[in-house]
Amino acid sequence: MNTPLFEFLCRMGDNTLVLGHRVSEWCGVAPVLEEDIALANTALDLIGQTQLWLGMAGEVEGKGRDADKLAFHRDVWDFRNALLCEQPNGDFGQTMMRQFLFDTWHLIMLKALADSSNDQIAAIAEKSVKEVTYHQERSADTVIGLGDGTEESHMRMQRALDKLWPFVGELFIGDDVDDAMVEQGIAPDPAALRTRFDNQLDAALAEATLTKPADDFAHKGGKTGARHTEHLGHMLTQMQWLQRAYPDASW
Amino acid sequence: MSSPETSPYKDSEASPHGETRATEWPLWEIFIRGQHGLSHRHVGSLHAPDAEMAIKNARDVYTRRNEGVSIWAVEASDIAASSPEEKGALYEPANDKVYRHPTFFDIPDEVGAM
């Protein structure tokens, strides 16, 4: 049984790793060059944060695994990312909607973690907040621009929101790991972040002329690793290909 | 940036497309100030739907390596530019007016570099 702190750090690190890899899939094929570079920057920021989270997870675990080992030598069931992060890119609108939903949660979470009782976590959060503040501004602007854009872009953004909405709830559902984090003052109760998230979401969606789905059904199983969607395994075959073919290969 | 003319592949976005597409975003010229105290310098151009996104795109395209402390974005169509054909009338008259350069003064050493 892993310690709750290790689990928590893997959740943070796997979120940024999996989403970072997803976003990097746009490299070279984004609709315009400026967006291509912006998405690559976002992906790199997220991978950078992954190194900090998973690096710390490895230290906490104390079994000699570093961030690379955790990223490339685990299989689907060991990943602890939220289901939202592993959802496929779809069209550009769907990617930006996924980014907006994640960024909005991520920023609220990181701001809370900046007050963590664990200094190392507080430091990682403080560094990440600067990057994620920009991510969130950018993805919110794009969601508003496309939502309140043409008939076609509006339709696609609404479709993306409807599709991704069932994966949002998981971010706010706590479990034993979260309880332990709250008890030690390390991390906030996930449910406590919901009001702020909803307020920001509602404001942005109103500007974007998009309608939040009425049904709050939430898929679960990502952050516990119990039930990832089928997409994560496919993604890992790409992401981990080299280490699977040539274990422990290095530069 | 965003030149659509880079690849000859058929049916790609880069294949001949005639008139500028209606969806093409306007062109913005980007100026960045490297440090406090220096002036903004032109660094390049990019496409963006509005001024806010132009700044954001400039941040991503031109300040990835810590290049600046301030960004200006100016829509290219708002820039009044001199015409290359007029260069004779505009600049050549200055060629034979050496007295416009302050090279005829003796500058005391104490003044230092000017």
Side-chain angles (χ1 to χ4, degrees), chain A residues 7 10-11 14-15 18 74 76-87 167 170-171 175 218-229 232:
Chain A
E7 286 287 307
C10 285
R11 289 177 182 183
D14 287 343
N15 278 343
V18 170
R74 287 179 301 157
V76 179
W77 47 82
D78 287 327
F79 272 76
R80 297 290 182 262
N81 58 284
L83 298 172
L84 178 66
C85 301
E86 68 200 42
Q87 296 313 303
F167 299 105
E170 189 195 14
L171 297 168
D175 61 6
H219 289 291
K220 284 185 289 185
K223 66 186 226 177
T224 59
R227 202 181 312 112
H228 280 288
T229 58
L232 181 61

Side-chain angles (χ1 to χ4, degrees), chain A residues 166-181:
Chain A
F167 299 105
V168 171
E170 189 195 14
L171 297 168
F172 303 97
I173 299 172
D175 61 6
D176 294 351
V177 172
D178 295 305
D179 292 345
M181 292 301 102

Side-chain angles (χ1 to χ4, degrees), chain B residues 53-85:
Chain B
M53 283 310 290
I55 300 247
K56 285 197 165 68
N57 285 345
R59 183 258 191 204
D60 278 313
V61 176
Y62 294 115
T63 68
R64 303 180 72 210
R65 296 171 191 86
N66 235 342
E67 287 94 336
V69 295
S70 168
I71 299 172
W72 284 352
V74 182
E75 203 170 331
S77 60
D78 287 337
I79 292 180
S82 63
S83 155
E85 284 103 67

